[in-house]
Amino acid sequence: MPEVDLLQAVNMALTKAMETDDRVIVLGEDVGVDGGVFRATNGLIERFGAERVRDTPLSEAGITGLSVGLAAQDFRPVLEIQFMGFIYPAIDQIINHASRLRNRTRGRLTCPMVLRAPFGGGIHAPEHHSESTEAMFAHIPGLRVVIPSSPKRAYGLLLAAIENPDPVVFLEPKRIYHVQKENVEDDGKALPLDRCFVLREGSDITLITWGAMIVETLAGADQLAEDGVSAEVIDVATLTPLDTDTIFSSVEKTGRCVIVHEAARTGGFGGEIAARLAEDGLLSLLAPVKRVTGYDTVIPMPRLEHHYMPSLDRILTAAREVLEYS
Amino acid sequence: MTDHRSLHNLEIGFTGILGADGKPIGELPEFASNHKQLIALYRAMVLTRRLDEQAVALQRTGRLGTYASSLGQEAVGVGVAAAMNNNDVLLPSFREQGAQLVRGVTMVEILRYWGGDERGSCFEGPKEDFPAAIPVGSQFPHATGVALAMKLRNEARAAVVVGGDGSTSKGDFYEALNLAGVWQLPVVFVISNNQWAISVSRKKQTAAKTLAQKALAVGIAGEQVDGNDVIAVRFVVERALERARAGQGPSLIEALTYRLSDHTTADDATRYRPDEEVSARWKKEPVSRLRTYLTDLGAWTGKDEETLLNESTVQVEEAVTAYLATPLPQAGEMFDHLFESLPSDLENQRKQVEELSREKTDA
Ligand SMILES: Cc1ncc(C[n+]2csc(CCOP(=O)(O)OP(=O)(O)O)c2C)c(N)n1
Ligand SMILES: [Mg+2]
């Protein structure tokens, strides 16, 4: 079993999917000879040829629309957009077409495509390279938003996304591309979509997060454990459709909840989870739900970026407030 | 029956004035008889190259963020900006340090920007120029807006927008070009065709023979220029700007050049292009070409060269020192330019980030 990091796990899943299904086409800017700017598609063109691993012109709107057409024709396009900040020209294709082709044609045409993009801050990248606008995509009906946070989940969830008959926006937390190595069995087994993952069981407080913030959140749970607090940590993994069962049963047990995300606070996906808890889980709550998030400003360039990113300290402060509430 | 009608002359003009060996191959424009002006172009190219070198070195030692060098393309930026009037407006891509320097953006500002500090885009000099456009091609439509504003006010000014070969594949490019054509806007589109968009070669970018011919599809003027010949670049851009300011419409200029560096400091070009291609292109690079010409004219000596290199080194070193000494921004500043004034809903967030950063420094 190979020890791989999250990025290598993405590469493994792409390789496996291309091996097992001829309909899988990998495309995007620089995904061929260069192997992708992060090297997620490294080696694919050598292995599967330039017909199936396609370097495209620089044209996000065009290649996203092209993927819709390919998908409607029963191919399985896996499109790489180089950074989340460059998906925006393609929003028209995503919101008006990819997400609703099935609905518009009452199931006659479908759109089994995957749009992969690295996202998130904390790597001292240039302007427009540190976006976390996952909530924008989660707001689009008909679209799945999937975010892996470990090598195993990257492998299993990407395979699941490619197998899935509907469009998936698959966002890769680039800050943790190389943070953790795991033994990932290359068995072609998908993990379930639409399910949260309980990364750590606990009984006193539920910490909910996704993507790169998993790192600080798990560290927070460790620290709380030293204080004798047992924290449950949930990786949402599929933002939409949301697995409220896992979240509710955890909060029923703990009665306390902190949601952590890097994206700006207002309109962030944490608000949706908090709203669900307020609507349907209020009686389990022993304290108000707290959010630890990025601020409501443009994610700063590197000089101020670290002040923007939710820190372990902020997570601990919020958790303690929630724990002390009575 | 198909009836073929000739609608367009598919001839694309190409201007080259100095050959790769620095010998004139075309008629020299008037400004070229003034050696001082040529020397100014030369100095700007040398300074740009020195800045790029130092910026890459800073990045390699962890003191600057990812950086896009303009090595080999200095003549495009310098020639374009030299052709502009002060009150024209430049809308650059992220690889136009040469143009920015000539426009009066300081080296410290450029370094601050690439060092991850928004204040680097708050130019003291060219107040109306746009900051570098990172989302490729997104600057083209802005140029049409700037040009429309000039036209509405009946000003004899123009906008100049620069993008790469890759950017011409984006909708933004075509949309801007098309609109500028119908509305006859005073804008000059310059494509710095350095033959590569990261790993995607010019051939894989479009099946069109030239990028300049894309102008024909929207009914505007399109031409090519030797982008490693700063005299030619300045000449054709000046000509296009005169037309634009005189209300004679927009143009597209494709400057043929070559990216001698990696795409950015985060790239490794040896993965996708052969070294032989790069070394062949070194023979056509713009700086030594103009130096040869100036030397042949007797307008430039070895001593001049030595003085200039020393001066440029000192200038860049001073800028680097000033850049490295830049006080860090305060954490709360991330809110200060979001809106004209801070909405009350954000006051708490600003306070929080300030307090937390103070705790961090105290701790
Ligand atoms: C819309 C968009 N897509 C992708 C990128 C990532 N990217 C940055 S530069 C670049 C290639 C640009 O090529 P070109 O336009 O030829 O300019 P050059 O880098 O050669 O100066 C790409 C794909 C981006 N910045 N913006
Ligand atoms: Mg290019």
Side-chain angles (χ1 to χ4, degrees):
Chain A
M1 235 192 282
E3 272 250 305
V4 296
D5 63 22
L6 200 155
L7 181 70
Q8 291 167 316
V10 166
N11 183 269
M12 263 170 71
L14 290 170
T15 309
K16 183 57 97 187
M18 295 200 79
E19 256 170 33
T20 46
D21 188 345
D22 289 344
R23 299 171 303 172
V24 175
I25 305 263
V26 166
L27 67 154
E29 293 154 20
D30 306 288
V31 299
V33 190
D34 199 31
V37 288
F38 284 98
R39 311 286 178 247
T41 56
N42 210 6
L44 294 184
I45 195 165
E46 289 83 357
R47 186 104 190 255
F48 301 102
E51 286 278 303
R52 292 182 66 202
V53 182
R54 307 186 74 95
D55 271 325
T56 67
L58 207 166
S59 152
E60 284 77 11
I63 57 184
T64 306
L66 170 120
S67 299
V68 172
L70 265 175
Q73 284 287 317
D74 203 33
F75 276 91
R76 295 289 180 274
V78 183
L79 169 65
E80 174 175 305
I81 300 287
Q82 246 162 42
F83 288 87
M84 183 181 233
F86 309 135
I87 302 178
Y88 308 137
I91 282 286
D92 181 30
Q93 291 298 335
I94 295 169
I95 199 163
N96 281 327
H97 298 293
S99 66
R100 56 174 97 175
L101 192 59
R102 178 189 291 280
N103 185 63
R104 287 176 64 216
T105 62
R106 287 298 179 253
R108 181 174 59 80
L109 295 176
T110 61
C111 191
M113 67 178 274
V114 177
L115 185 156
R116 300 179 33 245
F119 85 114
I123 64 158
H124 306 292
E127 242 185 328
H128 306 282
H129 286 71
S130 301
E131 311 275 307
S132 261
T133 47
E134 65 274 16
M136 244 175 64
F137 297 92
H139 190 63
I140 302 174
L143 201 64
R144 274 191 171 72
V145 178
V146 178
I147 300 177
S149 65
S150 74
K152 275 187 184 153
R153 287 189 292 284
Y155 180 80
L157 291 173
L158 182 52
L159 284 173
I162 297 171
E163 284 169 16
N164 190 273
D166 288 304
V168 176
V169 169
F170 190 85
L171 300 172
E172 298 165 9
K174 61 180 180 291
R175 178 161 66 94
I176 58 169
Y177 263 157
H178 304 296
V179 160
Q180 181 198 3
K181 283 204 166 198
E182 268 183 330
N183 286 317
V184 179
E185 196 170 346
D186 194 10
D187 55 6
K189 281 208 187 107
L191 282 169
L193 298 178
D194 309 350
R195 280 270 161 277
C196 297
F197 293 84
V198 178
L199 301 189
R200 176 181 177 126
E201 293 198 10
S203 50
D204 299 330
I205 185 168
T206 304
L207 307 177
I208 301 178
T209 189
W210 54 89
M213 289 314 301
I214 287 287
V215 174
E216 287 73 15
T217 306
L218 284 171
D222 282 343
Q223 291 256 323
L224 290 171
E226 282 176 26
D227 303 347
V229 173
S230 154
E232 181 142 306
V233 177
I234 294 179
D235 172 13
V236 178
T238 303
L239 266 54
T240 46
L242 181 63
D243 168 17
T244 44
D245 289 351
T246 302
I247 292 174
F248 284 168
S249 56
S250 175
V251 174
E252 263 165 36
K253 181 170 58 173
T254 63
R256 299 171 199 270
C257 177
V258 171
I259 305 161
V260 182
H261 63 68
E262 185 183 316
R265 185 179 191 79
T266 300
F269 198 70
E272 178 60 33
I273 296 173
R276 302 278 189 117
L277 284 168
E279 281 175 343
D280 298 320
L282 190 63
L283 297 181
S284 339
L285 287 170
L286 302 171
V289 174
K290 283 249 165 214
R291 287 176 290 166
V292 179
T293 69
Y295 296 103
D296 287 333
T297 189
V298 179
I299 180 160
M301 286 168 71
R303 294 282 166 195
L304 289 182
E305 189 181 22
H306 56 289
H307 292 297
Y308 174 95
M309 306 290 287
S311 61
L312 173 59
D313 281 350
R314 282 177 64 198
I315 296 170
L316 287 173
T317 307
R320 286 177 185 139
E321 269 176 44
V322 167
L323 285 161
E324 280 158 21
Y325 187 93
S326 56
Chain B
M1 251 286 288
T2 310
D3 180 17
H4 293 277
R5 289 179 296 161
S6 170
L7 296 177
H8 265 303
N9 173 359
L10 245 172
E11 275 173 17
I12 294 290
F14 174 88
T15 305
I17 292 168
L18 293 186
D21 57 0
K23 309 266 185 260
I25 49 168
E27 197 190 324
L28 283 145
E30 215 177 284
F31 71 80
S33 56
N34 182 342
H35 296 171
K36 271 201 191 130
Q37 298 212 9
L38 294 187
I39 289 169
L41 294 174
Y42 182 67
R43 299 178 80 93
M45 290 198 294
V46 168
L47 187 64
T48 304
R49 188 164 288 189
R50 200 80 198 92
L51 173 65
D52 277 340
E53 256 169 43
Q54 279 306 303
V56 171
L58 286 170
Q59 192 281 334
R60 297 288 184 232
T61 47
R63 292 175 293 172
L64 196 80
T66 303
Y67 186 79
S69 165
S70 66
L71 182 66
Q73 303 174 224
E74 297 88 348
V76 179
V78 168
V80 165
M84 294 173 68
N85 288 343
N86 282 342
N87 69 355
D88 293 329
V89 170
L90 176 73
L91 300 97
S93 76
F94 48 83
R95 206 188 292 284
E96 294 307 332
Q97 294 76 254
Q100 289 189 312
L101 286 178
V102 175
R103 293 287 296 162
V105 178
T106 66
M107 287 188 277
V108 180
E109 287 166 342
I110 292 173
L111 292 170
R112 280 190 187 147
Y113 178 73
W114 293 104
D117 188 335
E118 288 83 354
R119 292 175 297 183
S121 291
C122 186
F123 310 142
E124 282 295 326
K127 290 273 193 255
E128 293 174 72
D129 284 7
F130 269 50
I134 298 285
V136 168
S138 54
Q139 69 273 34
F140 295 119
H142 308 155
T144 62
V146 168
L148 176 60
M150 292 166 169
K151 187 177 163 115
L152 288 173
R153 289 191 298 246
N154 279 316
E155 296 164 343
R157 304 166 67 195
V160 178
V161 57
V162 188
D165 41 305
S167 74
T168 63
S169 298
K170 278 200 79 209
D172 317 40
F173 170 70
Y174 177 78
E175 293 174 36
L177 211 63
N178 183 61
L179 187 142
V182 232
W183 289 1
Q184 288 293 289
L185 298 176
V187 50
V188 178
F189 297 87
V190 178
I191 297 305
S192 184
N193 174 3
N194 63 7
Q195 314 300 331
W196 291 92
I198 311 186
S199 74
V200 178
S201 67
R202 158 61 188 79
K203 273 217 178 83
K204 284 171 88 179
Q205 200 61 244
T206 172
K209 279 218 173 72
T210 70
L211 302 175
Q213 77 200 55
K214 295 194 174 200
L216 302 184
V218 300
I220 72 172
E223 62 179 313
Q224 289 185 314
V225 65
D226 184 340
N228 285 6
D229 176 354
V230 69
I231 299 179
V233 173
R234 177 175 159 180
F235 171 65
V236 297
V237 175
E238 240 166 34
R239 196 169 57 184
L241 275 169
E242 275 161 25
R243 284 197 306 263
R245 293 192 206 100
Q248 290 163 20
S251 332
L252 170 63
I253 295 167
E254 175 187 3
L256 295 165
T257 179
Y258 192 81
R259 196 192 79 208
L260 290 171
S261 74
D262 289 334
H263 168 70
T264 63
T265 47
D267 176 51
D268 172 11
T270 60
R271 289 175 67 90
Y272 52 80
R273 68 177 185 188
D275 289 344
E276 305 84 74
E277 178 183 308
V278 183
S279 39
R281 291 291 188 148
W282 263 106
K283 300 200 176 80
K284 300 181 176 176
E285 67 87 16
V287 175
S288 63
R289 180 184 307 207
L290 184 57
R291 182 173 56 239
T292 308
Y293 179 65
L294 286 170
T295 309
D296 289 354
L297 281 181
W300 196 250
T301 64
K303 180 106 190 7
D304 291 331
E305 181 70 12
E306 204 186 303
T307 314
L308 174 61
L309 291 182
N310 288 337
E311 276 174 15
S312 309
T313 305
V314 170
Q315 263 179 288
V316 175
E317 272 169 10
E318 281 171 4
V320 169
T321 308
Y323 156 68
L324 293 173
T326 307
L328 280 175
Q330 299 294 307
E333 287 177 41
M334 70 172 76
F335 288 102
D336 291 351
H337 301 279
L338 198 57
F339 297 102
E340 191 191 29
S341 57
L342 188 69
S344 57
D345 187 39
L346 295 182
E347 279 166 14
N348 277 339
Q349 292 192 26
R350 193 187 189 288
K351 219 177 280 160
Q352 186 189 2
V353 77
E354 279 286 315
E355 274 166 16
L356 289 174
S357 87
R358 232 171 284 131
E359 280 169 24
K360 246 183 239 167
T361 31
D362 293 348

